[in-house]
Amino acid sequence: MAKYDIVIVGASTAGSYFARRMAERGFSVFVIDRSTKDRISPDYDIFHMGKDEMDHFGLPKVEKGDGIYAFEFTESYMYSAFGGYPKPSPSPVVGMHKHGYIVRMNEWAAEAGAEIVYEASFVESVYDESGKICGIVYEKDGEKISVECRLVADCSGIPAVVRRSLPDSYGIEKFELTPDDILFVTLRYVDFTDKKEEWMKSHFWIFYKSWVAPSAGSDAIIGMGSCFGFDYVEKVYEQFTKNVKLPAHRVKWIERGMTPYHRAPYSFVADGFIAMGDAVCMTKPNCGEGCTAALVLEDIAVDVASKALENGAYPTRESLWSINKKYNGTQGKEFASLLALLASVIRHSAKANEFLFKHDVIFSKKILGGMSGGLTLNVTDYLKTLVFVVVGLASGQIKISEIKSILSGVINSGKLTELYERFPETPDGFDAWVREAEEVWSKTDRLADWKPMG
Ligand SMILES: Cc1cc2nc3c(=O)[nH]c(=O)nc-3n(C[C@H](O)[C@H](O)[C@H](O)COP(=O)(O)OP(=O)(O)OC[C@H]3O[C@@H](n4cnc5c(N)ncnc54)[C@H](O)[C@@H]3O)c2cc1C
C-alpha cells in the first residue's frame, strides 16, 4: 500500500495551497480530486483575488496574455437600495480565469513535490485499531485503492466529504449545508449597448447582495447571491432591476455556483485530520469570497501541522489544537462577528436602507471602507448613528423593529468577538466553550431568517 505523510482530498485553491506549502516543508503529499485536470473547477469562469493577498500568500503570479489573467481594478463602490449615495471601498483586485488558475496552482504544488491524481474520488477514511484516521480509500477507474498516511486534509469544498463521513464521536461537527446556509450565485455576463466606461469598475448593492464588476469576454458581470435557491435569486434580481437603473445591456451567457454562508465549525482538527476552505465554510461574510480567506487558516495549519508531524510523529487532536486557537483568535472572530452583524443589519426595507445610506450611518463611508480590516469607530460615530436613528424613527423612514434588529446584531457580534477571543488553549475547556457559543449563535440572526421578496 502507498504511504504518504499527508493525503489531501480536493485539488482546488485550498487543496493546492496546502499541498504546496507542506511539500515545501519536506513532507510527502498525495492529493486526489474527482475531476479531470481539464475540467477542474469549471463551475464559473471569472474570479477575483486581492492583489495584496496574492502577494501576502506568495501565490503564483499572472500576467497579461498568459490566458489566465483577465483584468485588474481598484475602484469599488457600494450603493443604496435605489442606487444612490456611492460609498467608496477601494482595493486593488486581480480578475482571473478560475480553471486556468487552479491548473496553475496544481502545477505549483506538483513542482514542490506533491503528487496529484485526478478522477479519483474519496470513498472512506481508514482507521487504526485505536479508531484514529490512518489513511483513506479512493476510487479510480472503478478500482478501490487504499493509501496510508498520518494526516488527512479535507479540502473537498461544500460536500466536505471527509468531515461529514467521520464517526460522530470524532470531535468534528458533521453538519451538512442546507439551501439556507448557502449563497446561490448567478453571474450574468453582459455587453452594454452604451454608457460603458463608468461601469468598468466594481459596484455593489448590499441590500440585494448584487454587484456589477469588470469581466473578460463580455463588458461586465452582473452578479447576485441569495439563500434558498436559484429561483429566489431571480425574484431578487427582478426587484433589483426595478429599483436600480442599470445601463442597457445584452446577456451573453449565465453561470451559476454556490458558496457557503454559515459559521465555520468550532474545531477544524481531530486526530490525524484537518478541514479547510469551503469544507469548513471559510468565506468572507461581506462578499462570499473564499479563495484567500481559506489561506489564513492554512498558513497557521502549515506551521502547527509541520511541528506535529516532526520526526514521524502522529498528529493528534491535542498537537493540532493550536490551529483552532490561533485561527479563532484572529480571522475566526472577525468572520463570526461580521456574519452575525450583517445578517441583522440588512433586515430592513429598501426605504430604510436609502435613509441610512443617505445620512452615512451604519452603511457609512467609514464602516464600508473599513470592512476589509482596520476599522475603528469612535464616540462621534456612535453619537451620529444614534441621532440619525432617532430622526429616522420620528420621520417614519425606519421602523422600531428595524432598529431592534440592528442593535441585536451589534450586541451579538460583540459577544461573539469576546467569546472567540477566549477560545480554549487546549481541548479541555472546549465542551463548556461550545455550550456558550451555541447559546450566542442560537440568538443570532441568520441571513436566511429574513426573506425580503416573500
Ligand atoms: C459564482 C461564484 C463566484 C465566486 N467568486 C469568488 C471570487 O471572485 N473570489 C473568491 O475568493 N471566491 C469566490 N467564490 C468562492 C470560491 O469559489 C470558493 O470559496 C473556493 O473555490 C473554495 O475553494 P475550496 O478549495 O475550498 O473548494 P472547491 O473550489 O469547491 O474545490 C473542492 C475540490 O474538491 C473536489 N472534490 C469534491 N468532492 C470530492 C471527492 N468526493 N473526492 C475527490 N475530490 C473531491 C472537487 O472536484 C473540487 O476540485 C465564488 C463562488 C461562486 C459560487
Side-chain angles (χ1 to χ4, degrees):
M1 190 193 308
K3 197 170 169 182
Y4 295 84
D5 294 319
I6 302 154
V7 168
I8 300 173
V9 177
S12 182
T13 42
S16 304
Y17 187 80
F18 195 57
R20 164 83 188 199
R21 294 294 178 230
M22 293 309 282
E24 281 175 343
R25 299 277 180 126
F27 294 102
S28 57
V29 180
F30 183 67
V31 189
I32 59 164
D33 200 288
R34 66 179 174 192
S35 270
T36 61
K37 191 173 180 185
D38 287 351
R39 295 280 307 150
I40 194 159
S41 211
D43 49 352
Y44 61 95
D45 179 16
I46 295 296
F47 84 122
H48 311 110
M49 283 193 190
K51 212 172 175 186
D52 301 346
E53 291 174 314
M54 287 183 80
D55 291 343
H56 172 80
F57 292 110
L59 291 170
K61 299 246 184 278
V62 290
E63 52 195 47
K64 278 184 189 153
D66 65 5
I68 298 175
Y69 175 99
F71 51 78
E72 283 178 42
F73 65 86
T74 298
E75 277 187 89
S76 186
Y77 295 90
M78 277 211 204
Y79 296 86
S80 70
F82 292 99
Y85 316 110
K87 317 278 174 181
S89 51
S91 70
V93 169
V94 184
M96 295 176 278
H97 296 282
K98 187 153 183 258
H99 166 71
Y101 197 67
I102 302 303
V103 172
R104 167 84 48 99
M105 283 190 79
N106 284 183
E107 287 164 357
W108 181 65
E111 277 162 23
E115 196 178 319
I116 306 178
V117 176
Y118 299 92
E119 295 179 88
S121 288
F122 172 81
V123 175
E124 61 188 10
S125 300
V126 178
Y127 303 88
D128 65 16
E129 61 289 343
S130 60
K132 294 181 175 172
I133 288 187
C134 62
I136 65 151
V137 177
Y138 67 94
E139 186 169 333
K140 182 165 173 63
D141 301 328
E143 195 190 338
K144 289 206 170 118
I145 303 165
S146 301
V147 191
E148 208 178 303
C149 67
R150 290 185 283 150
L151 180 68
V152 174
D154 187 352
C155 297
S156 65
I158 288 178
V161 286
V162 191
R163 173 172 72 77
R164 292 196 37 247
S165 69
L166 294 172
D168 290 346
S169 56
Y170 213 70
I172 286 273
E173 287 169 88
K174 295 174 60 181
F175 60 76
E176 181 178 9
L177 298 183
T178 70
D180 284 5
D181 311 313
I182 287 175
L183 281 185
F184 294 83
V185 181
T186 298
L187 304 176
R188 287 173 159 80
Y189 288 74
V190 300
D191 273 351
F192 297 132
T193 34
D194 52 31
K195 218 182 165 190
K196 283 184 199 170
E197 279 316 309
E198 67 174 280
W199 290 91
M200 297 306 183
K201 44 194 150 187
S202 175
H203 309 256
F204 186 65
W205 293 264
I206 196 165
F207 186 74
Y208 312 95
K209 291 173 283 319
S210 183
W211 62 94
V212 175
S215 178
S218 75
D219 287 343
I221 296 173
I222 305 178
M224 175 166 280
S226 279
C227 298
F228 314 120
F230 291 112
D231 288 348
Y232 188 72
V233 176
E234 294 308 308
K235 268 193 179 180
V236 184
Y237 189 75
E238 207 183 306
Q239 193 62 38
F240 166 60
T241 48
K242 262 187 207 153
N243 288 352
V244 174
K245 189 100 195 86
L246 296 177
H249 57 267
R250 178 176 68 87
V251 177
K252 291 180 82 177
W253 74 94
I254 293 181
E255 292 170 349
R256 294 190 168 86
M258 291 183 275
T259 186
Y261 207 81
H262 188 283
R263 69 162 175 81
Y266 299 129
S267 168
F268 306 102
V269 302
D271 289 324
F273 177 78
I274 181 160
M276 292 172 288
D278 276 12
V280 285
C281 312
M282 199 149 288
T283 48
K284 297 178 182 174
N286 58 323
C287 62
E289 294 184 355
C291 295
T292 49
L295 309 189
V296 174
L297 175 69
E298 297 203 7
D299 271 354
I300 296 171
V302 168
D303 283 341
V304 177
S306 296
K307 206 151 190 297
L309 288 157
E310 247 171 28
N311 305 320
Y314 182 83
T316 59
R317 182 182 188 224
E318 286 71 20
S319 66
L320 296 173
W321 192 259
S322 61
I323 294 172
N324 289 334
K325 175 69 185 163
K326 287 181 178 150
Y327 179 78
N328 280 324
T330 50
Q331 181 173 277
K333 82 173 175 196
E334 285 161 20
F335 278 16
S337 65
L338 195 53
L339 193 72
L341 185 67
L342 289 178
S344 301
V345 151
I346 58 152
R347 279 165 182 245
H348 51 245
S349 65
K351 188 165 95 175
N353 184 272
E354 199 68 5
F355 175 81
L356 295 170
F357 262 84
K358 180 173 176 186
H359 296 289
D360 207 40
V361 281
I362 312 288
F363 301 106
S364 68
K365 281 195 179 84
K366 188 169 179 181
I367 293 178
L368 297 177
M371 200 87 101
S372 49
L375 174 68
T376 31
L377 297 179
N378 55 33
V379 178
T380 319
D381 296 315
Y382 286 111
L383 279 177
K384 186 181 165 196
T385 305
L386 187 67
V387 167
F388 278 102
V389 161
V390 172
V391 171
L393 277 173
S395 60
Q397 310 275 334
I398 187 159
K399 295 190 206 120
I400 192 88
S401 59
E402 294 171 333
I403 299 298
K404 272 189 183 162
S405 177
I406 290 171
L407 270 180
S408 93
V410 172
I411 291 167
N412 287 329
S413 134
K415 281 186 184 167
L416 286 166
T417 305
E418 186 273 328
L419 185 71
Y420 277 64
E421 274 169 357
R422 47 183 183 79
F423 188 87
E425 296 277 352
T426 67
D428 283 346
F430 184 56
D431 290 346
W433 185 90
V434 168
R435 281 194 292 278
E436 273 191 78
E438 289 285 275
E439 176 73 18
V440 182
W441 280 111
S442 71
K443 294 186 182 137
T444 300
D445 292 329
R446 291 185 324 154
L447 202 59
D449 294 337
W450 191 58
K451 210 170 185 183
M453 309 305 156

